[in-house]
Amino acid sequence: MSGASMDLDLCTIEAGEFTMGSADFYPEEAPVHRRQVERFLIARAPVTNAQFGAFVAATGYVTTAERPLPTEEFPDLADEARLPGSLVFTMTSGPVDLNDWRQWWKWVPGANWRAPFGPGSSIDDKGDHPVVQVSLDDAEAFCAWAGVRLPTETEWEFAARGGIDGAVFAWGDEPQRPDDLRANTWQGSFPWVNAGARGWRGTSPVGTF
């Protein structure tokens, strides 16, 4: 399969103007402002493990997490600390300081897109789940092969809003209800209790929500 023949299920987003950003959640989302967007195409769903696997099989591409950390960029690290790997989300045993992300992200040698949680994990039954443990370089390499590009931040937010301008959430202003989840989000006390969104803890097949 070539990148040009891969079906990414692209849809057209017509040009328009919308209110971008938020002052209610994260400081980097502010200030709220108006933006104009030209017509563009975007995939209806994230790239799946199966699609990314087709790219790797066709090109022999090696992802960032599968390469040792370069000595010239990390001269102070011991050799074993430069082994290929990635950060892996790890639930805590109880409440922690939410200002310290290191409480729930751990460096795991051997973690990569094929083994998202490290050695012993796999994606064998998750071909329709979104690919994870990929870097910006990896995403851009996939796009170049597939004949597309990554959306800009403005394009992404415009598409995600689905024509609902100025709403708090992509589906409107009302928060999710446990019996009517619109997105695969954490259900419980982060980062130590998660009941799962419709039973899914972690990724779910694209299009589930």
Side-chain angles (χ1 to χ4, degrees):
M1 177 185 291
S2 68
S5 66
M6 171 170 286
D7 181 12
L8 292 176
D9 194 13
L10 301 176
C11 62
T12 301
I13 305 295
E14 298 295 345
E17 183 177 348
F18 76 111
T19 304
M20 182 175 178
S22 170
D24 299 326
F25 298 100
Y26 300 100
E28 62 268 22
E29 295 176 345
V32 176
H33 57 290
R34 297 292 291 176
R35 291 295 297 270
Q36 289 186 327
V37 183
E38 298 300 319
R39 183 176 183 268
F40 66 99
L41 297 175
I42 193 168
R44 294 181 186 275
V47 173
T48 65
N49 287 315
Q51 291 170 328
F52 194 80
F55 156 63
V56 171
T59 63
Y61 182 82
V62 178
T63 64
T64 300
E66 296 173 285
R67 309 172 205 158
L69 294 177
T71 304
E72 60 273 17
E73 292 184 28
F74 302 93
D76 298 329
L77 289 180
D79 289 343
E80 59 270 17
R82 279 198 295 270
L83 293 173
S86 188
L87 289 172
V88 172
F89 176 81
T90 306
M91 289 182 66
T92 62
S93 59
V96 295
D97 179 5
L98 297 182
N99 293 313
D100 184 6
W101 59 267
R102 293 168 297 183
Q103 298 289 327
W104 57 86
W105 286 105
K106 307 296 182 185
W107 179 262
V108 178
N112 56 60
W113 75 275
R114 290 187 179 90
F117 298 100
S121 63
S122 78
I123 55 170
D124 289 347
D125 59 345
K126 296 180 179 179
D128 58 351
H129 286 231
V131 64
V132 298
Q133 299 292 24
V134 292
S135 67
L136 174 60
D137 287 345
D138 302 336
E140 289 180 335
F142 173 87
C143 287
W145 173 76
V148 295
R149 65 170 174 82
L150 293 173
T152 66
E153 181 183 1
T154 303
E155 289 171 337
W156 169 254
E157 183 170 335
F158 186 56
R161 286 184 176 277
I164 303 177
D165 191 19
V168 176
F169 306 104
W171 54 84
D173 290 320
E174 295 299 320
Q176 295 190 99
R177 302 194 313 270
D179 61 344
D180 185 28
L181 294 178
R182 305 297 182 89
N184 185 351
T185 55
W186 188 277
Q187 301 296 307
S189 300
F190 184 86
W192 57 289
V193 175
N194 183 13
R198 297 187 192 168
W200 295 103
R201 293 177 178 84
T203 60
S204 53
V206 299
T208 300
F209 294 84

